[in-house]
């Protein structure tokens, strides 16, 4: 019997499709502090649910799943059908996956206890981000944070398992349902992006080791509430205009963040007189993106301190968010400090 050693094809006839997410997770598993495969499985569960949500978003207009669901969530926001569908899909995948003991979701008032005696992980999730853009076919997303529980596995879920500072995240990421669908995540060893190939049903590594430019010329802020901004922020925005920076605001945090991460820029959702803690939620929006930002060489603050250092005190607490290229986040903070200096003179 003749045996021949495999030599990779060099004809170029069949282009390499690249590394699948599953394979990448397997290869990188040794990076995980607790490399027992559970976190790998959890990431795969999230990828599976995001494939299903991707299918639903793509056909939202056809399948009568656009529009309002007719209920409001704990934030007092009208839930969209897709908010609820995405919430169900991620809950189901995380519960069936068997690695998670508790979930904090934007769409649920309380902590969801999955009654899983062997689950070591806690997930905080924004199942559908950018809800106001669902019906107008603009990019939307999913945001997730993963922590290890603090109390012993199998014991009842305690507040300290859920109320952990972002710095305790073992992994975080987002899914962007845009012109293409991408999953971007970190486990504290850099940031990698995967693009979904629907015909193969696979995510493929398309953006290895993502790094954010240190500076940029894009600013993303809802200027509709400009009059409520503090003077320091107003001066910074005026300076951006003077420099003819590009104003880009999609109104989907994931999409605005992703663009600025790739191109260099800053996304700001400030505190205003009307919203003293801004709008965005610490546990399932700011923390996840702050971990990604820092792992990609960018920065995330609430205007005063690192987002990842904030000790949470309530499930759906909000925080101002300044996130993006280091030089831009530092500069706006300087403007605000100077402004305080001017005002106090
Ligand atoms: O309409 P506003 O006030 O600018 O707020 C837009 C922000 O609100 C959000 O839609 C909040 O997220 P949800 O859609 O998950 O509630 C962000 O995605 C977006 O950046
Ligand atoms: Mg959101
Ligand atoms: Mg949401």
């Amino acid at each position: 019997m003749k045996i021949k050693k495999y030599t990779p094809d060099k004809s170029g006839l069949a282009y390499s499709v690249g590394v699948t997410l599953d394979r990448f997770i397997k290869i990188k598993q040794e990076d995980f502090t607790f490399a027992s495969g559970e976190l790998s499985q959890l990431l795969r569960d999230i990828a599976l649910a995001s494939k299903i949500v991707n299918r639903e978003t793509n056909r939202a207009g056809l399948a009568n799943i656009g529009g309002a669901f007719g209920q409001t969530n704990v934030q007092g926001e009208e839930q969209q059908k897709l908010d609820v569908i995405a919430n169900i899909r991620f809950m189901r995948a995380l519960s069936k996956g068997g690695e998670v003991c508790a979930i904090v979701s934007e769409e649920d008032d309380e902590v969801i206890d999955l009654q899983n005696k062997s689950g070591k992980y806690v997930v905080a999730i924004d199942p559908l981000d950018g809800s106001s853009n669902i019906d107008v076919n603009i990019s939307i997303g999913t945001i997730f944070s993963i922590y290890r529980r603090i109390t012993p596995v199998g014991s009842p879920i305690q507040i300290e398992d859920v109320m952990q500072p972002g710095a305790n995240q073992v992994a975080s990421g987002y899914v962007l349902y845009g012109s293409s669908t991408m999953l971007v995540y970190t486990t504290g060893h850099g940031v990698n992006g995967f693009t979904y190939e629907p015909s193969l049903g696979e995510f493929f590594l398309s953006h290895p080791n993502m790094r954010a430019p240190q500076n940029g010329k894009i600013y993303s802020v809802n200027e509709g509430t400009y009059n409520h901004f503090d003077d320091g922020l107003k001066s910074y925005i005026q300076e951006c205009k003077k420099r003819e920076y590009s104003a880009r605001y999609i109104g989907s945090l994931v999409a605005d963040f992703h663009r600025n991460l790739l191109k260099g820029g800053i996304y700001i959702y400030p505190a205003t007189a009307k919203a003293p803690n801004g709008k965005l939620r610490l546990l399932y929006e700011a923390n996840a993106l702050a971990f990604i930002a820092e792992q990609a060489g960018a920065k995330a603050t609430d205007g005063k301190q690192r987002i990842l250092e904030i000790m949470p005190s309530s499930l759906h607490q909000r925080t101002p968010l300044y996130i993006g290229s280091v030089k831009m986040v530092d500069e706006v903070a300087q403007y605000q400090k100077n402004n305080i200096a001017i005002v106090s003179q």
Side-chain angles (χ1 to χ4, degrees):
M1 181 177 71
K2 278 195 177 168
I3 297 179
K4 167 171 108 167
K5 201 164 121 287
Y6 168 71
T7 44
D9 164 68
K10 295 229 173 347
S11 72
L13 278 175
Y15 70 90
S16 157
V17 289
V19 180
T20 64
L21 175 64
D22 281 7
R23 220 166 135 58
F24 185 85
I25 290 174
K26 194 159 187 332
I27 296 166
K28 291 288 177 187
Q29 188 167 313
E30 71 269 2
D31 279 352
F32 300 146
T33 321
F34 312 95
S36 56
E38 288 139 342
L39 185 56
S40 304
Q41 183 51 47
L42 175 42
L43 287 167
R44 280 192 281 270
D45 299 333
I46 288 175
L48 172 64
S50 60
K51 291 176 186 176
I52 300 170
V53 172
N54 174 63
R55 183 192 66 195
E56 304 298 22
T57 56
N58 287 347
R59 62 194 194 103
L62 296 173
N64 184 29
I65 44 180
F69 179 63
Q71 278 178 22
T72 57
N73 63 18
V74 64
Q75 346 263 332
E77 290 162 353
E78 183 167 34
Q79 287 180 311
Q80 303 299 305
K81 285 183 193 157
L82 216 47
D83 283 322
V84 178
I85 291 168
N87 197 40
I88 295 167
R89 291 289 180 190
F90 280 100
M91 288 281 171
R92 198 178 285 162
L94 295 174
S95 137
K96 285 221 168 91
E99 309 301 348
V100 176
C101 58
I103 299 175
V104 174
S105 166
E106 177 189 4
E107 303 308 332
D108 288 284
D109 309 7
E110 297 100 358
V111 175
I112 307 295
D113 177 351
L114 294 182
Q115 325 248 304
N116 172 4
K117 291 265 170 278
S118 62
K120 293 191 180 87
Y121 294 97
V122 172
V123 172
I125 190 162
D126 177 356
L128 209 283
D129 176 66
S131 310
S132 62
N133 282 327
I134 295 170
D135 291 347
V136 288
N137 207 353
I138 290 174
S139 302
I140 48 183
T142 292
I143 310 174
F144 61 89
S145 278
I146 302 174
Y147 299 84
R148 276 187 76 89
R149 65 175 301 171
I150 293 195
T151 56
V153 171
S155 66
I157 306 289
Q158 301 296 329
I159 195 78
E160 62 263 34
D161 292 315
V162 176
M163 291 296 178
Q164 300 190 47
N168 288 9
Q169 290 173 99
V170 291
S172 80
Y174 58 87
V175 186
L176 176 59
Y177 311 102
S179 44
S180 68
T181 292
M182 280 192 70
L183 189 153
V184 175
Y185 80 98
T186 185
T187 56
H189 303 272
V191 177
N192 292 283
F194 300 78
T195 299
Y196 187 53
E197 184 13 304
S199 63
L200 298 175
E202 288 279 3
F203 281 102
F204 290 97
L205 181 64
S206 54
H207 296 64
N209 195 24
M210 295 166 75
R211 298 298 297 170
Q214 284 298 295
N215 206 346
K217 294 189 172 169
I218 296 172
Y219 65 103
S220 308
V221 62
N222 183 342
E223 291 195 61
T225 49
Y226 178 88
N227 296 337
H228 300 287
F229 294 172
D230 63 63
D231 291 346
L233 180 54
K234 284 180 179 167
S235 319
Y236 176 73
I237 291 171
Q238 289 312 322
E239 186 58 28
C240 290
K241 292 175 193 272
K242 225 187 286 163
R243 296 178 194 166
E244 297 183 1
Y245 284 1
S246 299
R248 294 279 182 277
Y249 191 72
I250 296 168
S252 290
L253 170 62
V254 167
D256 282 311
F257 172 76
H258 183 74
R259 181 208 41 256
N260 294 352
L261 192 71
L262 293 179
K263 295 200 166 189
I266 186 170
Y267 171 98
I268 301 171
Y269 208 108
T272 60
K274 244 171 44 178
N277 293 312
K279 174 182 182 178
L280 301 170
R281 285 50 61 113
L282 177 66
L283 264 66
Y284 43 78
E285 289 173 319
N287 272 336
L289 300 185
F291 192 22
I292 294 268
E294 292 197 3
Q295 282 291 313
K299 194 168 186 170
T301 75
D302 65 356
K304 297 187 182 71
Q305 62 177 321
R306 263 175 93 215
I307 290 287
L308 296 182
E309 281 161 9
I310 300 174
M311 193 58 208
S313 53
S314 71
L315 281 184
H316 302 281
Q317 77 182 71
R318 300 174 190 266
T319 177
L321 183 61
Y322 296 76
I323 190 166
S325 300
V326 171
K327 290 210 171 104
M328 299 181 86
V329 174
D330 287 346
E331 190 177 18
V332 64
Q334 202 51 49
Y335 268 76
Q336 290 180 311
K337 220 160 57 211
N338 295 351
N339 170 56
I340 292 163
I342 294 163
V343 171
S344 57
Q345 261 166 19

